[in-house]
């Protein structure tokens, strides 16, 4: 009797130890990124509001899409002065006459020498190339502003996204004729001046600037159709330096005050230039390829807001899935969804080959297996709306990682040092918990994100999705877990 009791006690302790071992063994080695799902609109950056309202026209503006990749940096200004106005036609004419008086035919007039349309010689000079603008500024003991200097002046120390503030104004285009909108007298539209009373940086004409990549133009002009985008301070356009356009003029910057020049001192200080880090949607906006895009600010019906969600930093790896398969309770279907098919196998496609690369994302698992793993790990699969929200709200720099036509380690899908969510744009597509019904009435499960077999351009938008049978297995389909 005593031996039987001892046997039962030992068996019970062994069972408890076994349960503890299994629990401890599977205890979460999944690294997570904590994300707050906020329903508060007051956290939205003004640039995101602009991008959301423009989401169906961004795709046709290559220069805007490229500018959206400009990284925020600090830029210092000390003892600089800049023209309050763009250089006028009259001022440039005087320069041409003076140069030609010294050396005959040494300087060409602008292509809009007489401004015949508007009859205003006090309108900005246009039809001058980069080199002419540069020579003019040098003749005044100045130079063309750098891209960074121009943007700092436009931003002001307040860090605005437009020269006048953070809300778009279309006041600078009062005429139906775009040519008239580029030949207005300096400061005619006072609402578009900046706080330093520097005029027309967001309109009238675009302006030549210098950069490490060669001549660029900054600022919108009267011909721009999508001025809500081209007026953004960080937007730049690359054009040939010998371009002479009725849309492009210039102003000069000086390293000291110059007598006779209508200039303003730029406030000394540290300026923030580039795309604001606080914006959530800039990178994704730069990936848009069409004119039918769901609002970035859309609140998915499957999202429970005002809570904290822990998101798997990486897609589930082969090594993590191996531990799942070694748990004896998995074989008993303890973690299975109620309607999982009888005799279902959790073994992925080409499992023995996958075991050679433990840090790769596990692939070739059907939805039933992904669901069971998520439960086993103490989490769940994200819904499609949650997945899109995560894609939009996590660190956008992760999108810069390179694209390969082969599967890579999950730890190579994140160039950002520190916490983030990695691999959402590629490597493998990912199962979600969202179910739809096909035209024949059969249930299908949505997967999100691109993978190494699909063209990046087709899958990079947050709304990209496909639906397949829950039995579907593919070497380009994996999953991640949320908690």
């Amino acid at each position: 009797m005593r031996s039987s009791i001892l046997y039962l006690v030992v068996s019970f302790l062994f069972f408890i130890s076994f349960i503890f071992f299994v629990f401890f063994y599977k205890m979460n080695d999944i690294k997570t990124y904590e994300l707050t799902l906020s329903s508060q609109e007051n956290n939205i950056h003004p640039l995101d509001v602009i991008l959301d309202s423009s989401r169906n026209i961004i795709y046709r503006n290559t220069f805007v899409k490229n500018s959206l990749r400009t990284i925020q940096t600090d830029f210092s200004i000390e003892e600089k002065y800049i023209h309050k106005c763009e250089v006028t036609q009259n001022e440039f004419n005087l320069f041409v006459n003076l140069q030609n008086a010294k050396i005959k035919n040494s300087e060409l007039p602008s292509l809009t020498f007489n401004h015949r349309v508007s009859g205003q010689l006090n309108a900005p000079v246009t039809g001058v190339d980069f080199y002419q603008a540069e020579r003019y500024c040098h003749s005044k003991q100045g130079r063309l502003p750098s891209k960074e200097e121009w943007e700092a002046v436009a931003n002001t120390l307040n860090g605005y996204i437009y020269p006048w503030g953070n809300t778009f104004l279309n006041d600078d285009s009062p005429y139906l004729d775009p040519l008239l909108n580029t030949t207005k007298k300096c400061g005619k539209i006072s609402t578009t001046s900046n706080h330093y009373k520097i005029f027309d940086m967001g309109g009238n004409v675009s302006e030549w600037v210098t950069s490490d990549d060669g001549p660029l133009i900054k600022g919108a002009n009267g011909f721009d159709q999508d001025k809500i985008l081209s007026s953004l301070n960080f937007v730049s356009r690359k054009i040939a330096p010998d371009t002479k356009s009725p849309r492009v003029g210039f102003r000069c910057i000086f390293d000291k005050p110059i007598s006779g020049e209508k200039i303003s001192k730029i406030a000394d200080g540290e300026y923030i230039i580039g795309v604001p880090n606080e914006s959530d949607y800039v990178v994704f906006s730069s990936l848009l390829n069409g004119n039918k895009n769901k609002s970035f600010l859309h609140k998915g019906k499957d999202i429970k807001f005002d809570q904290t969600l822990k998101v798997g930093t990486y897609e589930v790896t082969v090594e993590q899935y191996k531990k799942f398969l070694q748990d004896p309770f998995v074989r008993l279907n303890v973690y299975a969804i109620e309607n999982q098919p009888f005799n279902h196998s959790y073994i992925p496609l080409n499992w023995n080959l996958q075991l050679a690369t433990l840090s790769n994302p596990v692939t070739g698992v059907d939805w039933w297996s992904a669901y069971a793993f998520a439960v086993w790990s103490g989490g769940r699969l994200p819904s499609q709306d949650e997945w899109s929200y995560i894609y939009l709200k996590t660190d956008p720099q992760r999108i810069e990682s390179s694209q390969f036509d082969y599967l890579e380690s999950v730890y190579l899908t994140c160039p950002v040092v520190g916490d983030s969510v990695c691999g959402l744009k590629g490597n493998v597509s990912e199962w979600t918990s969202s179910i739809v019904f096909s035209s024949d009435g059969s249930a299908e499960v949505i997967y999100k994100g691109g993978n190494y077999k699909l063209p990046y351009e087709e899958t990079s938008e947050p709304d990209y999705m496909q639906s397949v049978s829950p039995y579907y297995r593919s070497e380009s389909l994996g999953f991640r877990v949320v908690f």
Side-chain angles (χ1 to χ4, degrees), residues 8 171 276 342 401:
L8 289 174
D171 299 2
F342 182 68
S401 62

Side-chain angles (χ1 to χ4, degrees), residues 337-355:
I337 193 171
E338 184 178 351
N339 58 342
Q340 177 180 291
F342 182 68
N343 287 335
H344 171 268
S345 173
Y346 293 113
I347 304 298
L349 295 174
N350 305 315
W351 181 235
N352 289 333
L353 291 176
Q354 290 195 56
L355 288 171

